[in-house]
Amino acid sequence: MAELKIDNVYKSFGEEHILKGISLDVTDGEFIILVGPSGCGKSTLLNCIAGLEDVTTGDILLGDTNVTYEAPKDRDIAMVFQSYALYPNMNVRKNIAFGLEIRKMPKAEIAEEVARVAKLLQIEPLLDRKPSQLSGGQRQRVAMGRALARRPKIYLFDEPLSNLDAKLRVEMRTEMKKLHQRLGTTIVYVTHDQIEAMTLADRIAVMKGGIVQQFGTPQEVYDDPANMFVAGFMGSPSMNFLRCEVTKQEKDYAVQIESQGTIFQLPVDPKQADLSSYVGKTVVLGIRPEQITHVMPHLVAEQYITQVPVKIEVTEPTGADTLILARINDQECECRVHPQEAGKVGESMELLFNMSKAVFFDEQTEARL
Amino acid sequence: MAKSKNPSYANINARAVLYAVLIIVAAYYLLPLILMIVTSFRSMDEIRMGQLIEWPKTFSFDAWSMAWSEVQIGAREERGLRPYFINSILMVIPSVAISTILGALNGYVLSFWKFRGSELFFAALLIGCFLPFQAILLPQSQLLGWLGLSGSLVGLILTHVVYGVSFTTLFFRNYYVNLPHELVKAAKLDGAGFWVIFFRIILPLSAPILVVTVIWQFTQIWNDFLFGVVFSDPSSQPVTVGLNNMVNSSTGEKQYNVDMAGAIIAALPTIVVYVVAGKYFVRGLTAGSVKG
Ligand SMILES: Nc1ncnc2c1ncn2[C@@H]1O[C@H](COP(=O)(O)OP(=O)(O)OP(=O)(O)O)[C@@H](O)[C@H]1O
Ligand SMILES: [Mg+2]
């Protein structure tokens, strides 16, 4: 158990600059999720933390010690690799036991530990098989088991659940959470799964192009994104971005939208943004699909809620909700309505735009306003 | 489909042609060997009387025992090919073992423990694969002289090891770069060091390329004549040199049957190695190209 401090880490492969000044302070026992588009350097960062790649500049501190120049085996870190990296010549049992053997754990304890991990990951029947005789999901669980058999200072997980079927993934997600609660070990975890990120993380680091765009709690990242990239990346279906003009009302400001030829003023909550210097200019309105719903009578009178009729272009039922693609300001806008309220394609439908959680971005810099 | 009404006949015809060609080619390569074997079992009298190419009328092992332990080669006290054969074995086993082990270690380092300039090092080593034997004769004999190893078996072994390491390194390196690098990373995190990773993870995965390398080195070194004739003295000459001396001994009449038996004796170990391990050789050569 230890806190992890990543201080201004740069990593280049020759002329290719992959990590460009990563700084993260992870407190002891925190569960950190790394997200970001493919190729943004997540695996590279994990490799740097583990010591498998040398950083170009910058420091990595584990607890109070600077481990930047320490060998991987001295850092006491366990990692699950994206490609599993099971030893092909050893059976599952040996794969899990290898690290314990190397660290000179007594034989009886090793057997106990292997049994415990195998039970946890439901791989008991597989213990005598070679990795080549396992399915992708089974291999992934063995790779998890190899890491979990040890009690390192930090766990690094590189998309550990990506190959599991939906049901097992949900089960394993819960297991991960329980495991973390029980062990309290610091975890850095890479995933592409939005729900995994939101449910597991104490804090989420959103990366793009080798730079941390935002590092905050799931709710912060979701409600209070630092820029348009984070806003668009987190959440599924993703946030709507509508370019629209800022207008001055009696005392507040509003953004102007057009639907089916009619102009509407959506009032801007001053708590969300100060748009005084943008009057008459265009900004990007960020509004999540769930803030645009069918008409609910008790909400109609609320201050930041506006009723707007839209034309339905596409409907996408997801079961719990139906997603409606509407056209606002001649741009596509996804809205989330109750399945029974959803109209048919081509029809017009009344929707409520809830602006109390809307966010605004500069059109050019994509920075949050 | 419409053209050949009976596709199975077309198949059989194609097969027949194929087999005919294969049999002809096989016969072309096998005939000299068969001739050698047949001749080695004939007596000299018979050869003298009749044709050079003929089925043996009597069957005798005389020529074999002559070649093995009785024929006088040069002015040596010991007779026959046996001392040469023993020299070859004493030379080939350490040469193959050492060059293979060094190649495996080199390949392991060059694939998984890259250092500054390791690519350059590998490139330099590869030049060794393109050096003709003749090019290193003079410097090597000079070197062996300095080391006091001229004409000794150890000097010959050293020469073969040094010359062979380029090839063995190339084999192992090209095999290892296709192994997933995460294996070594995972082992490092598990706490394993350089040697543990090599012996517990990498070496157990190396069987195909080990077989290829051992066969390659064995045939190269066993069949070598040039190094053998240049870097040895009569007490350390390998069987290839012995065979040459035997055949070229100009005293008396040419004993074809003994020459043939001697040639087969000299070639026997490589034939045995191919028969025993040839299957793995082909498998190993193609192993790198298939993932998994
Ligand atoms: N050894 C290497 N040499 C050169 N470039 C590399 C090397 N390893 C990774 N890269 C490059 O670094 C970039 C980041 O790779 P990385 O594996 O960290 O991405 P990632 O965020 O994990 O992506 P994914 O989500 O697809 O796993 C990629 O563009 C990749 O091509
Ligand atoms: Mg990755």
Side-chain angles (χ1 to χ4, degrees):
Chain A
M1 283 201 226
E3 56 204 42
L4 167 70
K5 188 174 161 74
I6 301 167
D7 189 15
N8 205 20
V9 162
Y10 285 77
K11 171 71 189 171
S12 311
F13 292 108
E15 282 308 296
E16 259 194 85
H17 306 293
I18 307 300
L19 302 179
K20 304 168 189 162
I22 303 271
S23 292
L24 294 173
D25 275 330
V26 180
T27 57
D28 188 7
E30 235 184 334
F31 199 132
I32 298 299
I33 296 260
L34 278 182
V35 295
S38 193
C40 72
K42 304 181 296 291
S43 299
T44 307
L45 180 58
L46 289 195
N47 276 317
C48 287
I49 297 173
L52 299 169
E53 298 278 3
D54 295 327
V55 304
T56 308
T57 62
D59 289 301
I60 292 170
L61 287 85
L62 218 64
D64 298 326
T65 35
N66 187 333
V67 297
T68 316
Y69 302 103
E70 269 184 22
K73 68 179 164 60
D74 301 324
R75 298 192 188 194
D76 200 10
I77 287 175
M79 178 161 173
V80 175
F81 291 86
Q82 202 166 356
S83 58
Y84 324 132
L86 301 178
Y87 309 126
N89 53 314
M90 303 181 195
N91 64 20
V92 170
R93 188 190 310 277
K94 291 237 176 70
N95 260 284
I96 297 174
F98 184 71
L100 308 176
E101 260 174 54
I102 299 283
R103 285 166 202 275
K104 308 239 163 15
M105 192 190 255
K107 277 228 158 60
E109 276 178 54
I110 293 180
E112 222 171 89
E113 197 58 28
V114 171
R116 183 187 68 84
V117 168
K119 182 148 182 281
L120 175 71
L121 297 169
Q122 305 170 21
I123 48 174
E124 286 151 312
L126 311 176
L127 280 177
D128 292 314
R129 291 208 204 157
K130 289 274 178 71
S132 57
Q133 300 163 320
L134 301 176
S135 74
Q138 291 169 332
R139 285 178 208 185
Q140 205 153 36
R141 275 181 285 158
V142 175
M144 289 269 285
R146 201 167 56 180
L148 296 181
R150 284 176 44 206
R151 295 285 156 73
K153 290 201 186 105
I154 292 193
Y155 286 115
L156 305 176
F157 292 107
D158 201 346
E159 305 189 29
L161 308 183
S162 57
N163 269 309
L164 305 186
D165 64 66
K167 182 165 168 289
L168 193 56
R169 186 187 303 201
V170 173
E171 271 176 47
M172 290 299 297
R173 200 169 70 206
T174 319
E175 280 308 325
M176 286 294 309
K177 190 140 200 174
K178 279 199 231 158
L179 187 90
H180 178 243
Q181 278 161 3
R182 198 173 63 235
L183 298 178
T185 313
T186 313
I187 294 180
V188 182
Y189 186 114
V190 174
T191 180
H192 280 285
D193 185 316
Q194 298 280 337
I195 303 175
E196 239 167 82
M198 295 301 284
T199 53
L200 289 176
D202 291 321
R203 281 193 290 167
I204 297 179
V206 186
M207 284 177 65
K208 182 196 166 197
I211 294 170
V212 174
Q213 306 286 324
Q214 187 169 8
F215 185 36
T217 64
Q219 212 59 52
E220 273 168 25
V221 171
Y222 193 78
D223 288 340
D224 203 10
N227 55 36
M228 234 167 108
F229 171 77
V230 176
F233 193 80
M234 295 305 295
S236 171
S238 60
M239 184 183 266
N240 295 300
F241 295 121
L242 302 171
R243 278 185 307 281
C244 42
E245 196 179 306
V246 179
T247 57
K248 176 107 175 77
Q249 303 297 301
E250 295 98 66
K251 57 183 179 43
D252 281 336
Y253 301 91
V255 288
Q256 182 172 299
I257 61 167
E258 172 272 332
S259 177
Q260 297 181 306
T262 318
I263 303 280
F264 298 86
Q265 304 292 338
L266 303 181
V268 174
D269 185 343
K271 286 206 294 287
Q272 291 297 103
D274 173 18
L275 297 182
S276 51
S277 57
Y278 283 85
V279 175
K281 293 185 193 152
T282 305
V283 295
V284 177
L285 161 66
I287 184 164
R288 292 200 182 274
E290 65 263 27
Q291 310 303 141
I292 311 173
T293 57
H294 56 274
V295 176
M296 289 178 264
H298 65 282
L299 290 176
V300 175
E302 300 241 337
Q303 187 183 2
Y304 293 109
I305 290 180
T306 314
Q307 186 167 340
V308 177
V310 301
K311 182 155 181 273
I312 301 174
E313 296 204 327
V314 177
T315 63
E316 297 172 277
T318 65
D321 305 294
T322 296
L323 297 173
I324 284 179
L325 195 68
R327 191 155 281 276
I328 307 284
N329 282 6
D330 222 14
Q331 296 155 53
E332 286 179 350
C333 177
E334 244 179 338
C335 322
R336 193 174 215 161
V337 305
H338 193 274
Q340 282 174 352
E341 305 285 336
K344 291 202 177 58
V345 173
E347 289 178 358
S348 178
M349 179 182 179
E350 296 287 327
L351 292 178
L352 295 186
F353 279 65
N354 185 344
M355 292 291 284
S356 58
K357 286 192 165 175
V359 289
F360 303 89
F361 305 96
D362 186 288
E363 202 185 10
Q364 251 72 53
T365 65
E366 306 201 339
R368 179 80 183 279
L369 298 177
Chain B
M1 269 305 210
K3 265 188 197 165
S4 73
K5 277 180 205 140
N6 201 333
S8 64
Y9 272 121
N11 256 342
I12 289 170
N13 285 336
R15 289 258 130 182
V17 171
L18 181 69
Y19 278 116
V21 170
L22 287 177
I23 288 169
I24 290 169
V25 172
Y28 180 80
Y29 281 97
L30 278 177
L31 268 179
L33 179 66
I34 292 170
L35 186 63
M36 281 170 73
I37 295 174
V38 167
T39 308
S40 73
F41 288 118
R42 297 168 75 192
S43 72
M44 216 36 226
D45 288 341
E46 196 188 313
I47 296 173
R48 224 178 286 123
M49 303 295 287
Q51 300 281 321
L52 188 57
I53 302 174
E54 203 176 6
W55 202 250
K57 294 193 180 64
T58 55
F59 201 81
S60 90
F61 283 96
D62 291 350
W64 287 76
S65 60
M66 278 289 285
W68 179 242
S69 58
E70 286 160 37
V71 72
Q72 176 72 44
I73 301 173
R76 289 176 74 118
E77 216 166 280
E78 274 186 290
R79 289 161 177 256
L81 282 175
R82 186 169 56 190
Y84 296 97
F85 195 90
I86 292 171
N87 277 345
S88 267
I89 288 179
L90 291 180
M91 169 192 76
V92 81
I93 289 175
S95 302
V96 169
I98 296 171
S99 62
T100 303
I101 291 168
L102 285 179
L105 280 172
N106 279 345
Y108 171 58
V109 170
L110 290 172
S111 312
F112 300 114
W113 300 82
K114 291 204 175 134
F115 49 90
R116 198 172 283 274
S118 59
E119 294 298 317
L120 199 73
F121 178 81
F122 181 53
L125 212 77
L126 280 191
I127 294 175
C129 297
F130 300 104
L131 275 183
F133 274 33
Q134 292 81 349
I136 67 166
L137 289 184
L138 279 178
Q140 181 68 9
S141 62
Q142 181 73 266
L143 181 74
L144 291 179
W146 283 333
L147 294 174
L149 294 173
S150 297
S152 71
L153 213 51
V154 176
L156 203 51
I157 292 169
L158 179 74
T159 311
H160 280 301
V161 167
V162 170
Y163 194 82
V165 155
S166 295
F167 292 92
T168 56
T169 302
L170 175 71
F171 290 163
F172 279 99
R173 194 275 193 173
N174 285 356
Y175 181 77
Y176 287 156
V177 287
N178 285 317
L179 293 180
H181 273 57
E182 266 82 17
L183 282 183
V184 172
K185 291 185 176 179
K188 281 185 193 172
L189 285 178
D190 270 342
F194 182 89
W195 292 108
V196 173
I197 297 177
F198 180 67
F199 284 112
R200 303 259 329 249
I201 311 286
I202 299 299
L203 211 52
L205 299 175
S206 308
I209 201 66
L210 263 175
V211 173
V212 169
T213 310
V214 166
I215 292 184
W216 173 269
Q217 282 298 90
F218 187 92
T219 22
Q220 288 295 308
I221 296 173
W222 185 273
N223 288 339
D224 164 70
F225 177 72
L226 191 58
F227 287 166
V229 81
V230 173
F231 297 129
S232 61
D233 59 20
S235 70
S236 62
Q237 279 165 343
V239 72
T240 45
V241 177
L243 180 67
N244 174 68
N245 295 354
M246 181 180 99
V247 174
N248 288 338
S249 297
S250 50
T251 49
E253 146 200 57
K254 269 235 168 300
Q255 297 192 292
Y256 291 108
N257 53 350
V258 177
D259 289 355
M260 295 300 173
I264 296 173
I265 289 174
L268 212 52
T270 47
I271 295 175
V272 169
V273 165
Y274 265 110
V275 169
V276 171
K279 179 167 79 178
Y280 300 99
F281 186 71
V282 176
R283 218 183 276 166
L285 278 183
T286 54
S289 56
V290 188
K291 260 206 149 177

Short mmCIF file of all heavy atoms in Angstrom, two decimals, chain A residues 47 73 79 81 83 85-87 89-90 101-103 146 150, chain B residues 182-183 185-192 196 200-201 204-205:
data_model
loop_
_atom_site.label_atom_id
_atom_site.label_comp_id
_atom_site.label_asym_id
_atom_site.label_seq_id
_atom_site.Cartn_x
_atom_site.Cartn_y
_atom_site.Cartn_z
N ASN A 47 3.23 1.22 -18.02
CA ASN A 47 4.58 0.64 -18.14
C ASN A 47 5.62 1.48 -17.44
O ASN A 47 6.56 0.95 -16.84
CB ASN A 47 4.95 0.47 -19.61
CG ASN A 47 4.41 -0.82 -20.20
OD1 ASN A 47 4.48 -1.86 -19.58
ND2 ASN A 47 3.85 -0.74 -21.38
N LYS A 73 11.27 -5.19 -10.40
CA LYS A 73 11.04 -6.15 -9.32
C LYS A 73 11.19 -5.52 -7.94
O LYS A 73 10.68 -6.02 -6.96
CB LYS A 73 11.96 -7.36 -9.46
CG LYS A 73 13.43 -7.10 -9.25
CD LYS A 73 14.18 -8.42 -9.41
CE LYS A 73 15.66 -8.26 -9.59
NZ LYS A 73 16.40 -7.59 -8.53
N MET A 79 0.85 -6.19 -12.19
CA MET A 79 0.18 -5.62 -13.35
C MET A 79 -0.53 -6.70 -14.14
O MET A 79 -0.03 -7.81 -14.28
CB MET A 79 1.24 -4.93 -14.21
CG MET A 79 0.72 -4.31 -15.48
SD MET A 79 1.92 -3.09 -16.10
CE MET A 79 1.20 -2.69 -17.68
N PHE A 81 -1.67 -7.33 -17.91
CA PHE A 81 -1.39 -6.76 -19.21
C PHE A 81 -2.59 -6.88 -20.15
O PHE A 81 -3.37 -7.81 -20.05
CB PHE A 81 -0.19 -7.46 -19.85
CG PHE A 81 1.10 -7.17 -19.14
CD1 PHE A 81 1.48 -7.92 -18.04
CD2 PHE A 81 1.90 -6.14 -19.55
CE1 PHE A 81 2.66 -7.66 -17.38
CE2 PHE A 81 3.08 -5.87 -18.90
CZ PHE A 81 3.46 -6.62 -17.81
N SER A 83 -2.49 -7.73 -23.09
CA SER A 83 -2.38 -8.96 -23.90
C SER A 83 -2.23 -10.20 -23.02
O SER A 83 -1.76 -11.22 -23.48
CB SER A 83 -1.17 -8.84 -24.82
OG SER A 83 -0.01 -8.64 -24.03
N ALA A 85 -0.30 -11.87 -21.41
CA ALA A 85 1.09 -12.25 -21.13
C ALA A 85 1.19 -13.42 -20.17
O ALA A 85 1.96 -13.41 -19.22
CB ALA A 85 1.88 -11.05 -20.58
N LEU A 86 0.40 -14.46 -20.42
CA LEU A 86 0.54 -15.68 -19.62
C LEU A 86 1.74 -16.46 -20.15
O LEU A 86 2.03 -16.44 -21.33
CB LEU A 86 -0.72 -16.54 -19.74
CG LEU A 86 -2.00 -15.85 -19.29
CD1 LEU A 86 -3.19 -16.76 -19.51
CD2 LEU A 86 -1.90 -15.45 -17.83
N TYR A 87 2.44 -17.16 -19.23
CA TYR A 87 3.60 -17.94 -19.66
C TYR A 87 3.10 -19.19 -20.38
O TYR A 87 2.48 -20.05 -19.74
CB TYR A 87 4.46 -18.32 -18.46
CG TYR A 87 4.80 -17.14 -17.57
CD1 TYR A 87 4.53 -17.16 -16.21
CD2 TYR A 87 5.37 -15.98 -18.12
CE1 TYR A 87 4.83 -16.07 -15.41
CE2 TYR A 87 5.66 -14.89 -17.31
CZ TYR A 87 5.39 -14.95 -15.96
OH TYR A 87 5.68 -13.87 -15.17
N ASN A 89 4.40 -21.88 -21.43
CA ASN A 89 4.93 -23.19 -21.08
C ASN A 89 4.48 -23.68 -19.73
O ASN A 89 4.77 -24.79 -19.34
CB ASN A 89 6.47 -23.15 -21.12
CG ASN A 89 7.00 -22.01 -20.25
OD1 ASN A 89 6.51 -20.90 -20.32
ND2 ASN A 89 7.98 -22.30 -19.43
N MET A 90 3.75 -22.85 -18.99
CA MET A 90 3.31 -23.26 -17.65
C MET A 90 1.79 -23.38 -17.63
O MET A 90 1.10 -22.63 -18.30
CB MET A 90 3.70 -22.20 -16.62
CG MET A 90 5.17 -21.89 -16.57
SD MET A 90 5.45 -20.66 -15.28
CE MET A 90 7.10 -20.14 -15.70
N GLU A 101 6.63 -18.01 -6.03
CA GLU A 101 7.83 -18.84 -5.94
C GLU A 101 9.09 -17.99 -5.98
O GLU A 101 10.00 -18.18 -5.17
CB GLU A 101 7.88 -19.79 -7.13
CG GLU A 101 7.41 -21.19 -6.86
CD GLU A 101 7.37 -21.97 -8.17
OE1 GLU A 101 8.39 -22.02 -8.86
OE2 GLU A 101 6.28 -22.48 -8.50
N ILE A 102 9.11 -17.07 -6.93
CA ILE A 102 10.29 -16.22 -7.10
C ILE A 102 10.53 -15.44 -5.81
O ILE A 102 11.65 -15.21 -5.39
CB ILE A 102 10.08 -15.22 -8.26
CG1 ILE A 102 9.88 -15.98 -9.55
CG2 ILE A 102 11.24 -14.24 -8.34
CD1 ILE A 102 11.11 -16.53 -10.15
N ARG A 103 9.44 -15.03 -5.18
CA ARG A 103 9.58 -14.26 -3.94
C ARG A 103 9.67 -15.15 -2.72
O ARG A 103 9.46 -14.71 -1.58
CB ARG A 103 8.42 -13.26 -3.83
CG ARG A 103 8.63 -12.11 -4.80
CD ARG A 103 7.40 -11.26 -4.99
NE ARG A 103 7.46 -10.52 -6.24
CZ ARG A 103 8.07 -9.35 -6.42
NH1 ARG A 103 8.65 -8.77 -5.42
NH2 ARG A 103 8.09 -8.77 -7.59
N ARG A 146 -3.03 -13.95 -11.49
CA ARG A 146 -1.59 -13.84 -11.27
C ARG A 146 -1.26 -12.57 -10.49
O ARG A 146 -0.38 -12.57 -9.64
CB ARG A 146 -0.89 -13.84 -12.62
CG ARG A 146 0.54 -14.23 -12.55
CD ARG A 146 1.10 -14.51 -13.90
NE ARG A 146 0.93 -13.39 -14.80
CZ ARG A 146 1.35 -13.38 -16.06
NH1 ARG A 146 1.93 -14.44 -16.55
NH2 ARG A 146 1.17 -12.34 -16.82
N ARG A 150 -0.60 -11.87 -5.48
CA ARG A 150 0.40 -11.13 -4.72
C ARG A 150 -0.24 -9.99 -3.93
O ARG A 150 -1.37 -9.62 -4.18
CB ARG A 150 1.46 -10.58 -5.68
CG ARG A 150 2.43 -11.65 -6.15
CD ARG A 150 3.38 -11.10 -7.17
NE ARG A 150 3.89 -9.78 -6.77
CZ ARG A 150 4.31 -8.87 -7.63
NH1 ARG A 150 4.29 -9.12 -8.91
NH2 ARG A 150 4.75 -7.73 -7.20
N GLU B 182 5.55 -8.84 -23.67
CA GLU B 182 4.87 -8.75 -22.39
C GLU B 182 5.25 -9.92 -21.48
O GLU B 182 5.19 -9.80 -20.27
CB GLU B 182 3.35 -8.72 -22.57
CG GLU B 182 2.75 -7.32 -22.63
CD GLU B 182 2.88 -6.72 -24.00
OE1 GLU B 182 3.13 -7.48 -24.95
OE2 GLU B 182 2.76 -5.49 -24.14
N LEU B 183 5.63 -11.06 -22.09
CA LEU B 183 6.03 -12.21 -21.27
C LEU B 183 7.18 -11.82 -20.36
O LEU B 183 7.17 -12.11 -19.16
CB LEU B 183 6.49 -13.35 -22.17
CG LEU B 183 5.43 -14.17 -22.86
CD1 LEU B 183 6.08 -15.28 -23.65
CD2 LEU B 183 4.48 -14.73 -21.82
N LYS B 185 8.11 -8.78 -19.60
CA LYS B 185 7.68 -7.72 -18.68
C LYS B 185 6.95 -8.32 -17.48
O LYS B 185 7.21 -7.95 -16.33
CB LYS B 185 6.74 -6.75 -19.41
CG LYS B 185 7.42 -5.91 -20.47
CD LYS B 185 6.44 -4.91 -21.04
CE LYS B 185 7.11 -4.00 -22.05
NZ LYS B 185 6.14 -3.03 -22.61
N ALA B 186 6.05 -9.26 -17.76
CA ALA B 186 5.30 -9.88 -16.67
C ALA B 186 6.26 -10.59 -15.71
O ALA B 186 6.11 -10.50 -14.49
CB ALA B 186 4.28 -10.86 -17.23
N ALA B 187 7.24 -11.28 -16.28
CA ALA B 187 8.18 -12.00 -15.43
C ALA B 187 9.02 -11.04 -14.59
O ALA B 187 9.30 -11.30 -13.42
CB ALA B 187 9.09 -12.88 -16.29
N LYS B 188 9.38 -9.90 -15.18
CA LYS B 188 10.14 -8.91 -14.41
C LYS B 188 9.32 -8.44 -13.22
O LYS B 188 9.83 -8.31 -12.11
CB LYS B 188 10.46 -7.70 -15.29
CG LYS B 188 11.63 -7.90 -16.23
CD LYS B 188 11.92 -6.57 -16.94
CE LYS B 188 12.84 -6.76 -18.11
NZ LYS B 188 12.97 -5.54 -18.93
N LEU B 189 8.02 -8.18 -13.46
CA LEU B 189 7.17 -7.72 -12.35
C LEU B 189 6.99 -8.83 -11.32
O LEU B 189 6.82 -8.56 -10.14
CB LEU B 189 5.82 -7.26 -12.88
CG LEU B 189 5.83 -5.91 -13.56
CD1 LEU B 189 4.46 -5.57 -14.07
CD2 LEU B 189 6.31 -4.83 -12.61
N ASP B 190 7.00 -10.08 -11.79
CA ASP B 190 6.89 -11.19 -10.85
C ASP B 190 8.15 -11.34 -10.01
O ASP B 190 8.22 -12.19 -9.13
CB ASP B 190 6.61 -12.50 -11.60
CG ASP B 190 5.12 -12.75 -11.76
OD1 ASP B 190 4.35 -12.11 -11.02
OD2 ASP B 190 4.73 -13.56 -12.62
N GLY B 191 9.16 -10.54 -10.33
CA GLY B 191 10.36 -10.54 -9.51
C GLY B 191 11.51 -11.34 -10.09
O GLY B 191 12.55 -11.49 -9.46
N ALA B 192 11.32 -11.87 -11.30
CA ALA B 192 12.36 -12.71 -11.88
C ALA B 192 13.46 -11.84 -12.48
O ALA B 192 13.19 -10.78 -13.03
CB ALA B 192 11.77 -13.62 -12.96
N VAL B 196 16.70 -16.12 -14.41
CA VAL B 196 15.45 -16.85 -14.14
C VAL B 196 14.52 -16.72 -15.34
O VAL B 196 13.90 -17.70 -15.77
CB VAL B 196 14.77 -16.31 -12.86
CG1 VAL B 196 13.41 -16.95 -12.68
CG2 VAL B 196 15.65 -16.58 -11.65
N ARG B 200 13.52 -20.11 -17.09
CA ARG B 200 12.16 -20.57 -16.77
C ARG B 200 11.12 -20.16 -17.80
O ARG B 200 10.09 -20.81 -17.94
CB ARG B 200 11.74 -20.04 -15.38
CG ARG B 200 12.67 -20.42 -14.25
CD ARG B 200 12.22 -21.58 -13.38
NE ARG B 200 10.81 -21.78 -13.20
CZ ARG B 200 10.18 -21.58 -12.07
NH1 ARG B 200 10.82 -21.16 -11.02
NH2 ARG B 200 8.90 -21.84 -11.99
N ILE B 201 11.35 -19.05 -18.51
CA ILE B 201 10.33 -18.58 -19.45
C ILE B 201 10.79 -18.76 -20.90
O ILE B 201 10.08 -19.36 -21.71
CB ILE B 201 10.02 -17.07 -19.23
CG1 ILE B 201 9.76 -16.78 -17.76
CG2 ILE B 201 8.87 -16.63 -20.12
CD1 ILE B 201 8.45 -17.25 -17.24
N PRO B 204 12.28 -22.66 -22.22
CA PRO B 204 11.25 -23.67 -22.49
C PRO B 204 10.45 -23.39 -23.76
O PRO B 204 9.82 -24.29 -24.30
CB PRO B 204 10.33 -23.57 -21.26
CG PRO B 204 11.17 -22.98 -20.20
CD PRO B 204 12.13 -22.06 -20.88
N LEU B 205 10.47 -22.15 -24.25
CA LEU B 205 9.74 -21.84 -25.47
C LEU B 205 10.63 -21.97 -26.70
O LEU B 205 10.20 -21.69 -27.81
CB LEU B 205 9.20 -20.41 -25.41
CG LEU B 205 8.21 -20.11 -24.29
CD1 LEU B 205 7.86 -18.63 -24.27
CD2 LEU B 205 6.96 -20.94 -24.47
#
